[in-house]
């Protein structure tokens, strides 16, 4: 039972344009959401997070939007740069003491 | 400060064998989590240890086990290896007990079962 879903396995975006990565979840008890980025042969690195009490969090070129009623979150990258090419994982957690549940990832390719 | 270190980086084992993977967290971090990454499955949570106690466990068979030592280093063991256990095994450490904080991942151990 995949409680966190990233339905797009891959996404290609022109350099300088906006990249939008989507994530859906089924467990309404999730109250914290995180995005990680992974380059080949490296471990994932933390990108940005959002608590369920907010609907938006921004950090530089990265913004995460949360729509609790739709159980949907998205990561916006503006403007997209070649170094953003990586696999992006969204993750969700319930009540800080529990495990992180990850999605299957979306491979983002930025076209120069 | 040094990051999360996983050893070995690559491993080839035969079906039926057992394997032990090691993870040294960032100094001062007491929480260590293990994940299995396979194509199309994302990161599947195996277990999490905090101060030598297993706090959370994923939905993996009992062949997968782990432990954490007093210095926070952790080991993961898989017995009676199956072909389907071939994967990248990632370890992550947290500086706080709250799992909502940033986790720092190691580079992983690539296990191939033949």
């Amino acid at each position: 039972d995949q409680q966190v879903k990233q339905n797009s396995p891959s996404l290609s975006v022109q350099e300088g344009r906006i990249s939008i990565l989507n994530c859906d979840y089924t467990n309404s008890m999730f109250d914290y959401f995180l995005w990680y980025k992974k380059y080949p042969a490296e471990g994932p690195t933390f990108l940005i997070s959002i608590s369920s009490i907010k609907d938006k969090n921004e950090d530089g070129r990265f913004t995460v939007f949360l729509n609790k009623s739709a159980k949907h979150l998205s990561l916006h990258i503006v403007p997209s740069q070649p170094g953003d090419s990586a696999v992006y994982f969204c993750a969700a957690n319930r009540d800080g003491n529990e495990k992180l549940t990850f999605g299957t990832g979306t491979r983002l390719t930025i076209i120069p | 400060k040094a990051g999360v270190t996983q050893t070995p980086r690559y491993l080839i084992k035969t079906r039926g064998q057992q394997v032990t993977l090691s993870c040294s967290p960032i100094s001062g971090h007491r929480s260590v989590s293990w994940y299995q990454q396979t194509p199309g499955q994302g990161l599947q949570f195996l277990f999490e240890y905090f101060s030598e106690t297993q706090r959370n466990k994923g939905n993996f068979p009992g062949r997968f086990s782990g432990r954490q030592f007093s210095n926070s280093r952790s080991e993961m063991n898989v017995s009676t290896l199956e072909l389907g256990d071939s994967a990248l095994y990632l370890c992550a450490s947290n500086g706080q007990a709250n799992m909502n904080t940033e986790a720092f991942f190691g580079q992983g151990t690539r296990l191939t079962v033949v």
Side-chain angles (χ1 to χ4, degrees):
Chain A
D1 174 30
Q2 193 71 31
Q3 296 187 65
V4 178
K5 301 176 187 180
Q6 293 177 258
N7 292 318
S8 298
S10 63
L11 176 68
S12 294
V13 174
Q14 206 77 33
E15 181 179 358
R17 306 292 289 266
I18 182 171
S19 294
I20 300 176
L21 296 101
N22 294 305
C23 179
D24 297 293
Y25 61 96
T26 58
N27 189 338
S28 58
M29 300 298 290
F30 285 146
D31 58 8
Y32 204 81
F33 305 88
L34 308 91
W35 284 93
Y36 282 82
K37 178 170 77 172
K38 186 180 185 300
Y39 293 119
E42 293 184 16
T45 53
F46 171 77
L47 204 50
I48 192 169
S49 63
I50 188 167
S51 163
S52 61
I53 63 173
K54 294 185 174 182
D55 53 20
K56 176 183 172 181
N57 189 26
E58 194 172 349
D59 184 2
R61 297 185 299 114
F62 302 91
T63 303
V64 56
F65 295 92
L66 176 62
N67 182 334
K68 288 185 289 293
S69 60
K71 295 193 184 66
H72 176 84
L73 64 155
S74 60
L75 174 69
H76 293 211
I77 306 174
V78 183
S80 299
Q81 299 174 354
D84 296 330
S85 294
V87 177
Y88 289 78
F89 292 97
C90 67
N93 190 10
R94 164 191 163 179
D95 177 28
N97 289 321
E98 297 203 0
K99 64 178 185 177
L100 280 180
T101 300
F102 280 84
T104 52
T106 296
R107 181 177 301 279
L108 175 65
T109 303
I110 305 302
I111 305 164
Chain B
K1 62 184 162 181
V4 178
T5 304
Q6 291 188 247
T7 56
R9 289 291 309 279
Y10 302 92
L11 207 47
I12 299 176
K13 289 286 188 177
T14 306
R15 264 184 309 176
Q17 287 187 310
Q18 68 103 26
V19 67
T20 299
L21 312 182
S22 179
C23 172
S24 292
I26 291 172
S27 177
H29 285 195
R30 291 189 290 163
S31 170
V32 174
S33 300
W34 288 89
Y35 296 86
Q36 180 196 66
Q37 185 188 4
T38 53
Q41 292 295 314
L43 277 72
Q44 302 287 311
F45 175 79
L46 281 152
F47 26 66
E48 185 245 346
Y49 288 87
F50 182 81
S51 293
E52 301 179 66
T53 300
Q54 187 181 87
R55 274 203 309 183
N56 290 295
K57 190 176 190 308
N59 300 322
F60 278 79
R63 298 185 297 108
F64 292 81
S65 62
R67 58 179 175 168
Q68 187 179 34
F69 302 94
S70 59
N71 62 358
S72 293
R73 189 177 72 86
S74 178
E75 287 183 347
M76 189 194 111
N77 186 77
V78 188
S79 62
T80 321
L81 283 165
E82 300 176 0
L83 295 179
D85 296 333
S86 295
L88 178 67
Y89 289 88
L90 291 160
C91 154
S93 74
N94 276 72
Q96 300 179 38
N98 189 321
M99 297 299 288
N100 286 343
T101 56
E102 177 182 354
F104 295 83
F105 283 83
Q107 291 181 289
T109 294
R110 172 75 61 186
L111 171 66
T112 302
V113 182
V114 297

